[in-house]
Amino acid sequence: MATITTDRSIQLNAFEETKTGVKGLVDSGITEVPAIFRAPTVVLDNLKPPPASQLTIPTVDLKGGRVFLKKQEGSVTRRGVVVKIGDAAEKWGFFQVVNHGIPLDKMEKMREGIRGFHEQDTETKKRFYSRDHTRKWVYHSNVDLYTARAASWRDTLCCYMPPDPPTLDDLPAVCGKIMMEYKKEIMNLGELLFELLSEALGLKPNHLKDMGCTESLVMFGQYYPSCPQPDLTLGLSKHTDFSFLTIVLQGNIGGLQVLHDKYWVDVPPVPGAFVVNIGDLLQLISNDKFISVEHRVVANGATEPRVSVPCFFSSIMKANPRVYGPIKELLSEQNPPKYRELTISEFSNMYGTKELNTSALHHFKI
Ligand code: OGA
Ligand code: NI
């Protein structure tokens, strides 16, 4: 056992020292997945395929987005959207949105920018490789490289946006401009989604925003290189998101799966759509009305790399003294609080010490 552990840590260190991530391995021409990436069969299990193949997460039409839906406040149209989103947030914790108002070319440019970052000159990119999260942005492979049982087939660009966003000069030259533009669009869409989710909880449209749910945004540029043996590893192992809400640009190569009724359900790429999911913090403040659901990404078996851009609302607000607990307006004798109150930094510390694929929420259950 000891030798295995030592071998593993030697291999992990060797991989880390290349500073070129999984893409570097693929570029070097490997034809087999190295041992450190091989996930145990229990982790790879596909359970059974869902009984109904049409089973999929709901798609919600946002009717053109915020400006239009603003004019529709109180209308049947807006109410219809609210009901659909609320229903999806309760039953699936996941949905896709179309007709959201973000231009398709910005979405495409964002993915091209992220692809450009990961595919730029290796020597330039190596200089950015870091796990120092006090920086405005970092590039590395596997956030949990040293704690996970198996590494995953993915490299990540991680950028801290509001409340203390970078300037254009701080960002990588290949994708900085589009990242700044994209951030604005996502903040706007996020505000709309939090309004609709507030209404779905029976609260005033500004309730979640007023609680600070839109104050912090972390943007990931995920790059899943083509994997020579996609059945032996994962692209991203099973986890729930730490955030209040996550908006994911999945791109045209599928692979994202959601655990629903004990089945891994594929999230099919829908052209022009965003995938939206509820994170742990929103499950907590909604007192389990909305659910933060486990999901994963299978290893990319396509010949092209899979590029996705998840944006997490309020994933870190380390200096924020605010205390979060189940929203008082939702509580009653029949619905007593299920969680104790906590600060985001308390929650984030817990998150940092646990394995990615275990839940943080239950540590705060009453
Ligand atoms: C994540 C995530 C999905 C994807 O980064 O938390 O779930 O498609 N990403 O990359
Ligand atoms: Ni996730």
Side-chain angles (χ1 to χ4, degrees):
M1 215 34 209
T3 359
I4 292 169
T5 317
T6 317
D7 273 0
R8 182 171 169 80
S9 50
I10 290 171
Q11 286 168 30
L12 286 173
N13 284 333
F15 172 68
E16 180 75 350
E17 277 158 25
T18 66
K19 298 183 190 288
T20 53
V22 176
K23 176 159 193 311
L25 293 177
V26 173
D27 288 347
S28 74
I30 55 147
T31 53
E32 286 187 1
V33 167
I36 52 168
F37 291 90
R38 294 195 182 218
T41 41
V42 283
V43 175
L44 289 168
D45 76 60
N46 282 310
L47 306 169
K48 279 176 261 141
S53 53
Q54 73 273 26
L55 191 68
T56 189
I57 65 168
T59 296
V60 183
D61 181 347
L62 292 182
K63 318 270 180 204
R66 197 151 180 222
V67 176
F68 176 79
L69 282 175
K70 180 88 197 150
K71 289 193 205 122
Q72 299 290 317
E73 243 163 63
S75 73
V76 177
T77 310
R78 182 161 170 127
R79 193 69 217 147
V81 176
V82 166
V83 167
K84 276 203 187 128
I85 285 192
D87 209 47
E90 273 182 46
K91 298 198 177 108
W92 285 86
F94 265 82
F95 49 95
Q96 309 220 44
V97 291
V98 292
N99 222 347
H100 40 66
I102 302 185
L104 196 59
D105 73 306
K106 281 219 175 124
M107 299 167 75
E108 284 308 309
K109 276 205 189 112
M110 184 62 200
R111 288 184 50 257
E112 278 162 25
I114 295 301
R115 183 168 178 171
F117 174 82
H118 288 279
E119 294 182 357
Q120 71 186 299
D121 166 67
T122 308
E123 290 309 311
T124 311
K125 194 174 68 168
K126 260 184 173 177
R127 293 205 298 271
F128 303 130
Y129 196 94
S130 169
R131 293 184 191 274
D132 174 6
H133 288 269
T134 60
R135 297 187 184 180
K136 297 260 185 217
W137 64 274
V138 291
Y139 146 67
H140 55 229
S141 186
N142 284 262
V143 62
D144 56 345
L145 185 68
Y146 290 99
T147 49
R149 271 190 292 170
S152 307
W153 210 252
R154 172 188 91 259
D155 300 330
T156 305
L157 169 70
C158 165
C159 181
Y160 296 96
M161 291 294 191
D164 186 17
T167 63
L168 186 55
D169 291 342
D170 297 323
L171 291 172
V174 285
C175 53
K177 189 162 170 284
I178 185 67
M179 283 170 80
M180 297 296 273
E181 285 176 28
Y182 189 78
K183 171 204 73 182
K184 265 194 223 144
E185 298 283 359
I186 290 294
M187 290 300 288
N188 198 23
L189 177 59
E191 291 198 5
L192 170 63
L193 291 169
F194 279 113
E195 280 175 19
L196 299 169
L197 288 164
S198 298
E199 288 175 53
L201 289 170
L203 304 166
K204 294 218 173 64
N206 276 348
H207 199 105
L208 292 171
K209 186 178 178 198
D210 290 345
M211 286 181 77
C213 294
T214 57
E215 275 166 23
S216 160
L217 186 75
V218 180
M219 188 185 283
F220 278 9
Q222 304 278 36
Y223 186 88
Y224 302 83
S226 176
C227 180
Q229 294 172 304
D231 297 339
L232 298 185
T233 186
L234 286 165
L236 174 57
S237 55
K238 177 181 91 166
H239 67 284
T240 58
D241 289 355
F242 169 96
S243 57
F244 288 108
L245 192 75
T246 308
I247 302 180
V248 186
L249 175 53
Q250 177 177 217
N252 53 350
I253 299 177
L256 178 59
Q257 297 182 325
V258 174
L259 195 59
H260 180 75
D261 280 348
K262 302 199 183 77
Y263 294 107
W264 284 111
V265 176
D266 289 320
V267 179
V270 171
F274 286 101
V275 178
V276 179
N277 66 286
I278 307 297
D280 290 349
L281 288 169
L282 190 48
Q283 172 165 343
L284 183 143
I285 63 173
S286 72
N287 208 34
D288 285 352
K289 173 99 170 148
F290 294 161
I291 52 174
S292 172
V293 170
E294 286 181 318
H295 52 285
R296 68 179 187 182
V297 179
V298 297
N300 178 18
T303 49
E304 287 283 289
R306 178 180 187 273
V307 177
S308 67
V309 187
C311 289
F312 306 89
F313 278 92
S314 292
S315 280
I316 52 142
M317 291 198 290
K318 289 210 166 108
N320 185 351
R322 194 166 188 153
V323 167
Y324 286 92
I327 296 170
K328 299 274 182 311
E329 286 82 345
L330 303 179
L331 303 177
S332 64
E333 229 170 276
Q334 293 74 42
N335 184 23
K338 296 194 167 87
Y339 301 96
R340 69 168 177 85
E341 297 192 321
L342 50 97
T343 60
I344 304 264
S345 67
E346 234 184 301
F347 196 63
S348 128
N349 290 342
M350 161 56 62
Y351 216 81
T353 55
K354 73 176 192 58
E355 253 196 87
L356 185 63
N357 63 1
T358 60
S359 165
L361 269 181
H362 74 266
H363 292 278
F364 302 99
K365 276 232 148 118
I366 291 179

